[in-house]
Amino acid sequence: MAGKPSIVFAHGLWADGSCFNKLIPTLQAEGHEVFASQHGLDSLESDVACVNFTLNHAPGPIVLVGHSYGGTLITKAGTHDRVGALVYIAALAPDEDETSQEQQDKFPRTPIFEHVEVADGRVWLKPSGVPHFCGDLPEAEQKLVLATGAVPVADLFNQQVPGTAWRTKPSWYIVADNDHTVHPDLERSAAERMGAKTRAVDSSHVPMLSHPDFVLDVIREAAKSLDA
């Protein structure tokens, strides 16, 4: 098992580290140390700090994997000196002068945003929005996704911290062709802009849950690039 890169995951909105539970056991069995950042979506600064202290704890070279808003986090935290590869899963990837919201606003509004409500300063996903988030999962899994999701502060996407790791780190990007949460055109544009090795899958916004073997293969490819 010596020399295997560590894998660190960063989740997005309405999620927690359990959204990677179909990937983690396999990667552990293959000899990787695996950690999932459990950030609270309280601020971009605190979320990036959480990913960073997770990176500090992970040994050796690291593959940093971000889903959705987690792509913003790996873009910022991925400048860490032991991160050797980035994997974006249906993810945002704002440039240095761009917020998550500004990146989203360049593309058509997706259906999920008709199914959110703001309460207690947090943006909650309504049950009616779940099919637009993870509609290709069995109903029981959709309910689990809704029950375990962390809830973001309302202005999270308008916050900014420095860092654009994809400008200097090799990147992989998984485009979810049936995404109703992050627009697939945004995903394709982001992948092209960063010069990522791009893989498309016929998936909702959560390919790590609906197509875990596909996602695992991309993470393995990124990890193999660090084996040398």
Side-chain angles (χ1 to χ4, degrees), residues 130-151:
V130 174
H132 296 292
F133 190 71
C134 56
D136 53 355
L137 298 180
E139 184 178 358
E141 289 189 37
Q142 293 187 41
K143 289 180 177 178
L144 183 61
V145 167
L146 183 64
T148 57
V151 185

Side-chain angles (χ1 to χ4, degrees), residues 39 56 59 181 225 227:
H39 40 276
N56 289 340
T181 299
S225 76
D227 281 345

Side-chain angles (χ1 to χ4, degrees), residues 5-11 20 23-24 27 32-39 50-67 70 74 77 80 82-83 85-87 89 219:
S6 294
I7 314 292
V8 172
F9 289 103
H11 67 78
F20 303 110
L23 311 179
I24 291 171
L27 292 167
H32 300 278
E33 290 207 41
V34 185
F35 301 91
S37 171
Q38 294 284 76
H39 40 276
C50 185
V51 176
N52 268 314
F53 69 62
T54 307
L55 293 171
N56 289 340
H57 184 69
I62 299 166
V63 177
L64 183 55
V65 184
H67 171 246
I74 73 170
H80 191 286
R82 284 190 294 105
V83 171
L86 305 167
V87 177
I89 306 172
I219 294 172

Side-chain angles (χ1 to χ4, degrees), residues 1-227:
M1 293 192 181
K4 287 274 189 178
S6 294
I7 314 292
V8 172
F9 289 103
H11 67 78
L13 309 190
W14 309 310
D16 69 358
S18 69
C19 71
F20 303 110
N21 64 7
K22 294 184 180 179
L23 311 179
I24 291 171
T26 299
L27 292 167
Q28 289 173 328
E30 292 174 359
H32 300 278
E33 290 207 41
V34 185
F35 301 91
S37 171
Q38 294 284 76
H39 40 276
L41 310 180
D42 298 313
S43 74
L44 179 57
E45 184 178 18
S46 62
D47 289 348
V48 171
C50 185
V51 176
N52 268 314
F53 69 62
T54 307
L55 293 171
N56 289 340
H57 184 69
I62 299 166
V63 177
L64 183 55
V65 184
H67 171 246
S68 194
Y69 160 75
T72 298
L73 299 183
I74 73 170
T75 295
K76 307 301 181 181
T79 57
H80 191 286
D81 59 3
R82 284 190 294 105
V83 171
L86 305 167
V87 177
Y88 291 81
I89 306 172
L92 302 175
D95 208 342
E96 188 71 23
D97 60 351
E98 185 177 51
T99 65
S100 297
Q101 190 61 53
E102 286 168 342
Q103 186 184 20
Q104 278 208 316
D105 287 345
K106 294 173 181 176
F107 298 88
R109 184 179 171 93
T110 52
I112 200 167
F113 293 104
E114 305 303 320
H115 302 272
V116 300
E117 61 182 347
V118 179
D120 298 319
R122 300 276 173 164
V123 182
W124 295 83
L125 179 62
K126 297 178 182 179
S128 61
V130 174
H132 296 292
F133 190 71
C134 56
D136 53 355
L137 298 180
E139 184 178 358
E141 289 189 37
Q142 293 187 41
K143 289 180 177 178
L144 183 61
V145 167
L146 183 64
T148 57
V151 185
V153 294
D155 67 343
L156 185 62
F157 274 24
N158 292 312
Q159 298 176 21
Q160 181 64 289
V161 300
T164 318
W166 50 258
R167 289 209 170 273
T168 57
K169 306 289 177 84
S171 302
W172 282 254
Y173 198 110
I174 296 171
V175 174
D177 282 335
N178 291 332
D179 201 332
H180 294 167
T181 299
V182 173
H183 201 286
D185 287 347
L186 183 159
E187 297 174 19
R188 286 185 277 268
S189 172
E192 182 177 4
R193 179 168 71 175
M194 68 177 70
K197 298 174 179 66
T198 306
R199 309 285 186 268
V201 61
D202 189 17
S203 173
S204 74
H205 186 54
V206 293
M208 67 283 188
L209 290 170
S210 59
H211 296 81
D213 290 339
F214 183 94
V215 175
L216 281 166
D217 281 345
V218 177
I219 294 172
R220 288 186 186 110
E221 184 179 324
K224 285 178 183 174
S225 76
L226 304 186
D227 281 345

